[in-house]
Amino acid sequence: MAQRHPDTTFILTDLAPDMVEKAEKFSAKLPNVTARVADAQDLSEFPNNHFDAVVCCYGFMFLPEKEKGFAEVYRTLKPGGLLITTVWKEVTMMKMVREMMEAVLGEAPPAPPINPMALSKEGLLEDYLKGAKLRIEHTENSTYPFNFGSELDIAFKMCTMVIKSFIDEQVEKGNVGAADTVRQVFDRWLKEEQVINLKGEFETQENTFMLAVARKAA
């Protein structure tokens, strides 16, 4: 997009410095792109009515204080400016993650420490947008597969990334078999849940996201 619109300024932000460093390397040859560390809940370095558009892909669900994030979008958008965002509605991997946590705890688990599904409830994203005075112009759902490759140990690490802190905490509490229990659930999925494709790769099919476009009043 930056290549197609050389007269437009693009600012890439992330809370994680290593992600910003990768963005800087990726966009090094694009003079109209800058990258910086920023908290979506506090964009005070940017003035009011500053951006023509804000794009946030799979980000809002991870904010501890989501209202602040949406409020900052409204504040920094110019009148008539657009927010384009995506959130997960269904992720097959998270069903497995829930089974892993339940197997470790022996009871229905809480939401994982990193929860991609935090805005999956029907109507929840729309409520946040309306609460931030952003007018919803378009929403649509789309589904695509996740392919984790044929290296199953790597696939296991990728699938359990969102509960790594949970596993570590359980081990610290004395549940020394927590990691093995999690792996057993993963291995059961390999055998029973039809997640290995014809190429021998770990792949899940039903991963659905919502795209929403909202506008600040002119």
Side-chain angles (χ1 to χ4, degrees):
M1 187 179 292
Q3 289 176 328
R4 292 181 180 180
H5 302 278
D7 296 328
T8 300
T9 298
F10 293 83
I11 301 175
L12 314 179
T13 68
D14 199 282
L15 187 60
D18 59 332
M19 293 297 289
V20 173
E21 183 179 346
K22 290 178 181 178
E24 288 175 334
K25 292 179 180 178
F26 185 77
S27 61
K29 296 182 180 180
L30 297 170
N32 58 331
V33 177
T34 59
R36 65 184 71 181
V37 175
D39 185 346
Q41 301 164 120
D42 180 11
L43 298 174
S44 54
E45 63 184 290
F46 302 109
N48 296 347
N49 307 317
H50 185 63
F51 296 118
D52 294 295
V54 172
V55 179
C56 181
C57 292
Y58 308 126
F60 284 119
M61 54 271 215
F62 299 121
L63 300 184
E65 298 180 89
K66 296 173 181 57
E67 295 90 347
K68 288 186 177 181
F70 287 103
E72 282 292 79
V73 169
Y74 180 86
R75 182 186 66 78
T76 56
L77 275 177
K78 293 178 181 178
L82 283 176
L83 166 65
I84 303 168
T85 187
T86 54
V87 299
W88 288 114
K89 302 297 286 184
E90 182 177 357
V91 177
T92 301
M93 179 187 77
M94 295 308 297
K95 298 176 183 178
M96 178 177 63
V97 166
R98 182 175 177 82
E99 286 188 25
M100 290 171 170
M101 295 178 71
E102 185 169 357
V104 170
L105 294 173
E107 59 185 20
I114 302 174
N115 186 13
M117 312 310 297
L119 288 174
S120 62
K121 182 179 177 181
E122 191 68 28
L124 186 55
L125 174 62
E126 292 91 331
D127 288 344
Y128 276 112
L129 292 171
K130 293 174 183 176
K133 302 178 183 178
L134 293 163
R135 184 179 72 249
I136 300 169
E137 296 202 337
H138 176 76
T139 63
E140 65 178 77
N141 289 354
S142 185
T143 299
Y144 62 88
F146 284 172
N147 188 304
F148 297 90
S150 58
E151 295 292 332
L152 297 183
D153 287 341
I154 295 176
F156 172 73
K157 291 179 181 179
M158 294 173 67
C159 290
T160 57
M161 180 171 54
V162 296
I163 55 169
K164 185 179 185 306
S165 62
F166 164 78
I167 299 170
D168 292 342
E169 180 181 333
Q170 288 296 310
V171 172
E172 289 176 3
K173 288 180 177 180
N175 187 354
V176 294
D180 289 338
T181 299
V182 166
R183 182 65 194 227
Q184 288 168 9
V185 173
F186 178 79
D187 290 341
R188 183 189 67 75
W189 268 65
L190 295 181
K191 295 178 182 178
E192 300 177 9
E193 299 295 337
Q194 297 181 340
V195 292
I196 301 298
N197 65 20
L198 295 177
K199 296 180 180 179
E201 300 164 329
F202 186 95
E203 185 174 83
T204 61
Q205 297 296 322
E206 298 300 321
N207 308 291
T208 301
F209 70 93
M210 171 189 273
L211 167 71
V213 180
R215 187 182 299 273
K216 181 177 179 177

